[in-house]
Amino acid sequence: MSKGVLVDVSRCIGCRSCMVACKTWNDLPATKTEFTNNWDAPGKTDAYNWTVVNYHLIEQGDQVKWRFVKRQCMHCDEPACESACFTHSFVKTKEGAVIYKPTELNQDYCVGCRYCMVACPFGVPSFQWDKSLPYVQKCRFCYDRMKEEGLKPACVTACPTGTLKYGEREELLKEAWQRINSNPNYIKRVYGEKEYGGTSWLYISDVPFDEIGLKTTAYGKPVSEKSIPSYTWNVLKWTPYIFVGWGAILTALNFYTKRRDEVHHHEDMYEAVNTIEEKKDE
Amino acid sequence: MQKSWSFKLTPFRYLLIGLVGIAIVVALARLVFGLGAVTNLSDEWPWGLWIGFDLLCGIALAGGGFSTALIVHVLHKEKYLPIARAALLTSLIGYVIALVSLLMDIGRWTNCWRPFFYWGFHSVLFEVFWCISLYTTVQVLEFGDIFFERVKIGPLKNILSKAMVPLTILGIVLPTLHQSSLGSLYIVTVDRLNPLWWSMIIPFFFVWSAFFLGPAMVTIEGTLAARAYNRKPETEVFSSLTKVTMCMLIVYFIVKMIDLNYRGVYSMAFNGSFESNMFLVEMIVFVLVPIFMYAIPAIRNTQWGVFTASVLVVVGVVFNRMNVVFTGMAQSAGGHYFPSIWEWLITLGMWSALALAYLFVVENFPILVKEDHEQEGLSSGKSVSTGRSVEA
Ligand code: SF4
Ligand code: SF4
Ligand code: SF4
């Protein structure tokens, strides 16, 4: 019963009610914005803005379109952040939310190494750089609302246009394909269905995903469809064998090459150098 | 040799002590006010100078410890004994630096003991963390063997001597594992790290380069120590070590090429981008050039030749780590990062402390080979220790 949200980019009007709702529900402080002339400058999520709506100006032939894209943690099915954290501070809940335990469940083991930030393919987790003992912060899928009160996430409730739809991931996926197949304007792809092993948040759009800031290629190749933990696990699983095997090889070598008269009497060959002139020492 | 502890202060050493002092003040400020106040790190660049340089390079540079241990204590190539202790010492100090920079770098440092109790074993960092902690302990014990030669506590010394063989083996297995897992740390950066550096076998590249860096590091260190203390450098030991380094460099280069080809990113090395140029410099200046320098006897057998080539190898490994941490990530990270003055000061202080610690230990413990034995032994090329002939 993993939940998800379907984001239909073609319906979004960029009102940013979702951002406000997120701040209100999660008690996040307001941050100062700066005026720029650059309307389509994409903003990033940070420790106090768990969701942002980005404006994109899209030119198709002689047509110009505005598209608005809400971004937040994608709540991956097999999250890189969870697998990277060596203190178990992230967890994928059975409801589908990926939460950070230190602030969510008061299990304060996080050491602040920020490996989770290095690992996330979407660059989502943020650090409270202004705190002396900072926490990692990111969208938590309104886990408290979802779990205890059976409510939709705050942003979904606030959205006036039906851009955001909350439900079972499987059903949302079906609906997404229905919408795509019944309307030729849509790009034939659900972003989040397969990317990095699949995510709980799914996007459909009538303009190409890479033009609205959703990563479809990296260094000229399509982004991975395997989950990130599956890569690391492929390497990590060898650790015990290497440990035992290499240890055994070394022990064998040690005995094999050992000389019979070998005793640990090397003491006489070394000396401290304090007796020697240090004239060249500078 | 039982004299009182000595440490002569020269102006240069006063300077080092001053730098350490400044770093301590900055470090305290960092612990109190937090990372954001002191560093230029950001959400785009969560890892900077301390992780990228001090930790990754500190540990790579400590590669001399385990490669020499393997050659001397496991393969029993005793002609390399003269450099064994110095290698162990630098390696130990390198690890302490790595641990200190780790403590500096973790945001919630009051939780630094937690990972011992909550095991995220599916994380590469978990492996790194345990291996570094255990291996530092092992090295302290190994060093204890030397320590008790000066500070005579009989029973302890005996216990340690008995434990030496398993400790030595553990002291090779652990660094092998975590030198490679430092590389594995970057497997997670699928689609983020530039494919010139990202590879499923990046753990192999890391452990392999840490290993061949060892002999080069020992050469540099030995040459500098010889110069500082007005002794004769063990040039012959150094140039015979170059065979190890050269073969390993060649293997490294070949595997690198095969790997690039296999992943179909070979052409990226020549597309003229900043990344490709950095990659070419890394491969040509720091891998191919040293291979040739080592291959030519006229260069390899001279003091300056073996020294220069070794410097290239060591700088090359540092360069490679920097490319992985910074160059290769720049495009996907966006934004920019340059260490703040405070970050530099802490780094400077840590490496000054390293130099001071090295000087102190070398001047008070039997680390370097006795001059008179060495002269004769090395020039004849047969024996390095008194009274016992040792084959190469
Ligand atoms: S998007 Fe990033 S932070 Fe969110 S669940 Fe996936 S890996 Fe974790
Ligand atoms: S910063 Fe905290 S949550 Fe992130 S990987 Fe490190 S310990 Fe885990
Ligand atoms: S509330 Fe809905 S329509 Fe408004 S910006 Fe957010 S997603 Fe778009």
Side-chain angles (χ1 to χ4, degrees):
Chain A
M1 51 159 282
S2 187
K3 301 286 187 189
V5 170
L6 177 62
V7 186
D8 189 335
V9 174
S10 66
R11 296 189 185 180
C12 180
I13 55 168
C15 68
R16 290 179 166 158
S17 313
C18 46
M19 288 175 71
V20 176
C22 176
K23 286 236 174 192
T24 316
W25 180 261
N26 294 303
D27 277 331
L28 295 171
T31 45
K32 261 219 166 75
T33 49
E34 265 170 48
F35 179 79
T36 64
N37 267 331
N38 201 358
W39 278 71
D40 57 349
K44 283 198 171 173
T45 53
D46 63 34
Y48 306 111
N49 297 287
W50 294 349
T51 184
V52 293
V53 177
N54 285 327
Y55 287 31
H56 295 274
L57 190 57
I58 302 192
E59 291 174 46
Q60 283 177 334
D62 48 1
Q63 251 192 327
V64 174
K65 289 182 189 167
W66 280 106
R67 284 297 172 268
F68 316 104
V69 188
K70 177 188 183 301
R71 299 299 304 273
Q72 70 298 305
C73 167
M74 300 289 284
H75 298 278
C76 307
D77 290 348
E78 292 172 62
C81 55
E82 180 190 29
S83 77
C85 177
F86 72 138
T87 63
H88 273 315
S89 288
F90 278 101
V91 64
K92 172 88 178 172
T93 65
K94 64 178 191 312
E95 291 85 0
V98 175
I99 57 168
Y100 175 64
K101 295 200 277 185
T103 45
E104 200 75 31
L105 308 174
N106 264 326
Q107 296 178 1
D108 188 5
Y109 314 144
C110 170
V111 298
C113 66
R114 311 183 295 289
Y115 187 39
C116 48
M117 300 168 63
V118 174
C120 171
F122 301 104
V124 168
S126 305
F127 212 49
Q128 293 175 320
W129 295 103
D130 55 333
K131 295 276 166 65
S132 78
L133 288 176
Y135 283 115
V136 174
Q137 299 276 291
K138 68 169 195 69
C139 156
R140 48 180 170 153
F141 213 161
C142 287
Y143 184 59
D144 47 350
R145 291 169 61 99
M146 175 197 285
K147 189 172 182 248
E148 279 145 37
E149 302 164 48
L151 293 172
K152 298 172 185 175
C155 53
V156 177
T157 314
C159 178
T161 61
T163 302
L164 309 173
K165 181 166 185 187
Y166 175 74
E168 294 294 320
R169 182 179 187 270
E170 288 313 307
E171 277 158 31
L172 290 175
L173 205 53
K174 270 186 225 143
E175 182 173 341
W177 279 109
Q178 254 160 29
R179 283 195 217 173
I180 291 173
N181 291 331
S182 60
N183 184 340
N185 286 340
Y186 282 110
I187 302 292
K188 300 259 170 288
R189 172 169 178 181
V190 181
Y191 193 91
E193 181 176 10
K194 300 205 179 98
E195 282 71 17
Y196 301 106
T199 61
S200 283
W201 280 63
L202 304 162
Y203 286 74
I204 54 174
S205 161
D206 60 344
V207 290
F209 288 109
D210 52 346
E211 288 182 33
I212 50 172
L214 288 153
K215 184 164 91 179
T216 54
T217 56
Y219 299 104
K221 295 215 170 111
V223 296
S224 170
E225 293 195 349
K226 285 204 300 174
S227 77
I228 294 203
S230 69
Y231 284 94
T232 41
W233 184 244
N234 260 333
V235 170
L236 266 180
K237 67 179 179 200
W238 295 102
T239 309
Y241 304 104
I242 296 177
F243 187 84
V244 174
W246 183 219
I249 293 173
L250 288 174
T251 314
L253 275 178
N254 179 53
F255 285 110
Y256 181 72
T257 56
K258 197 167 190 163
R259 307 240 155 66
R260 226 176 312 158
D261 61 340
E262 211 254 340
V263 249
H264 277 283
H265 275 313
H266 306 309
E267 294 176 25
D268 311 336
M269 70 181 282
Y270 302 101
E271 67 179 350
V273 288
N274 57 344
T275 46
I276 292 164
E277 271 297 328
E278 295 163 4
K279 56 180 176 225
K280 285 205 183 175
D281 189 33
E282 316 173 15
Chain B
M1 56 154 278
Q2 211 57 291
K3 280 184 227 80
S4 60
W5 304 102
S6 76
F7 195 63
K8 218 171 115 202
L9 285 168
T10 60
F12 178 63
R13 291 181 186 186
Y14 276 119
L15 175 70
L16 291 182
I17 291 172
L19 287 173
V20 174
I22 295 173
I24 290 176
V25 176
V26 180
L28 288 176
R30 173 260 166 278
L31 292 181
V32 175
F33 298 114
L35 279 169
V38 176
T39 68
N40 280 348
L41 298 171
S42 64
D43 286 341
E44 287 80 45
W45 285 103
W47 286 359
L49 185 69
W50 297 338
I51 291 281
F53 184 70
D54 298 308
L55 183 110
L56 244 53
C57 295
I59 288 201
L61 297 184
F66 85 109
S67 41
T68 326
L70 177 62
I71 295 171
V72 174
H73 295 301
V74 173
L75 302 178
H76 296 284
K77 301 250 185 242
E78 307 215 340
K79 70 171 167 180
Y80 299 121
L81 262 178
I83 55 169
R85 287 193 166 182
L88 169 65
L89 174 63
T90 355
S91 168
L92 173 59
I93 302 178
Y95 271 80
V96 174
I97 290 240
L99 281 176
V100 173
S101 57
L102 201 60
L103 181 70
M104 276 297 112
D105 200 81
I106 57 176
R108 305 184 60 74
W109 55 275
T110 47
N111 269 349
C112 63
W113 51 277
R114 299 275 195 182
F116 284 112
F117 299 94
Y118 304 100
W119 290 16
F121 45 77
H122 45 54
S123 167
V124 180
L125 200 57
F126 174 76
E127 193 181 321
V128 173
F129 176 80
W130 273 93
C131 284
I132 294 184
S133 316
L134 285 178
Y135 183 48
T136 311
T137 317
V138 167
Q139 289 193 96
V140 170
L141 291 176
E142 284 180 332
F143 188 74
D145 197 42
I146 301 170
F147 183 78
F148 291 124
E149 274 173 28
R150 159 122 208 206
V151 186
K152 298 250 190 287
I153 308 176
L156 275 180
K157 165 119 181 115
N158 284 340
I159 297 173
L160 268 184
S161 299
K162 290 227 177 65
M164 248 343 144
V165 172
L167 274 184
T168 307
I169 292 189
L170 207 56
I172 297 169
V173 175
L174 287 175
T176 307
L177 273 181
H178 86 249
Q179 292 283 3
S180 64
S181 53
L182 282 178
S184 322
L185 276 182
Y186 278 86
I187 285 191
V188 99
T189 58
V190 186
D191 293 347
R192 300 192 91 195
L193 181 61
N194 188 297
L196 288 173
W197 291 282
W198 186 91
S199 160
M200 277 308 274
I201 58 169
I202 190 174
F204 164 80
F205 290 130
F206 264 56
V207 70
W208 197 256
S209 53
F211 197 97
F212 69 60
L213 170 129
M217 195 61 205
V218 167
T219 306
I220 295 180
E221 202 193 298
T223 314
L224 291 180
R227 173 162 289 195
Y229 294 110
N230 204 8
R231 297 151 59 93
K232 193 173 164 297
E234 283 109 7
T235 308
E236 205 144 315
V237 179
F238 299 153
S239 55
S240 100
L241 270 175
T242 56
K243 261 177 275 165
V244 183
T245 324
M246 187 182 74
C247 294
M248 293 193 77
L249 275 170
I250 293 174
V251 172
Y252 181 81
F253 185 76
I254 294 174
V255 176
K256 198 105 197 176
M257 291 307 119
I258 295 176
D259 176 57
L260 288 184
N261 243 330
Y262 175 76
R263 290 183 292 115
V265 294
Y266 197 77
S267 58
M268 286 186 78
F270 304 99
N271 66 11
S273 63
F274 176 63
E275 285 92 344
S276 75
N277 291 337
M278 291 293 267
F279 179 79
L280 288 181
V281 171
E282 183 185 323
M283 283 297 124
I284 295 169
V285 180
F286 299 116
V287 178
L288 291 180
V289 171
I291 290 178
F292 286 114
M293 292 183 78
Y294 284 148
I296 302 167
I299 299 180
R300 165 179 82 216
N301 289 328
T302 60
Q303 203 184 313
W304 73 265
V306 74
F307 183 75
T308 315
S310 302
V311 169
L312 283 181
V313 171
V314 170
V315 174
V317 174
V318 172
F319 193 75
N320 168 260
R321 303 300 192 259
M322 293 289 116
N323 277 340
V324 170
V325 186
F326 298 114
T327 319
M329 292 292 277
Q331 199 179 323
S332 65
H336 43 77
Y337 165 78
F338 192 80
S340 71
I341 172 86
W342 312 113
E343 291 177 81
W344 285 113
L345 284 176
I346 289 197
T347 294
L348 214 60
M350 282 197 287
W351 293 87
S352 306
L354 178 144
L356 286 171
Y358 178 88
L359 293 170
F360 177 79
V361 175
V362 160
E363 286 168 21
N364 287 284
F365 290 95
I367 303 291
L368 301 179
V369 176
K370 281 186 187 163
E371 275 282 65
D372 43 340
H373 305 146
E374 177 205 36
Q375 297 289 27
E376 199 197 331
L378 280 179
S379 49
S380 70
K382 280 186 199 133
S383 146
V384 282
S385 57
T386 28
R388 283 196 303 131
S389 88
V390 177
E391 316 122 56

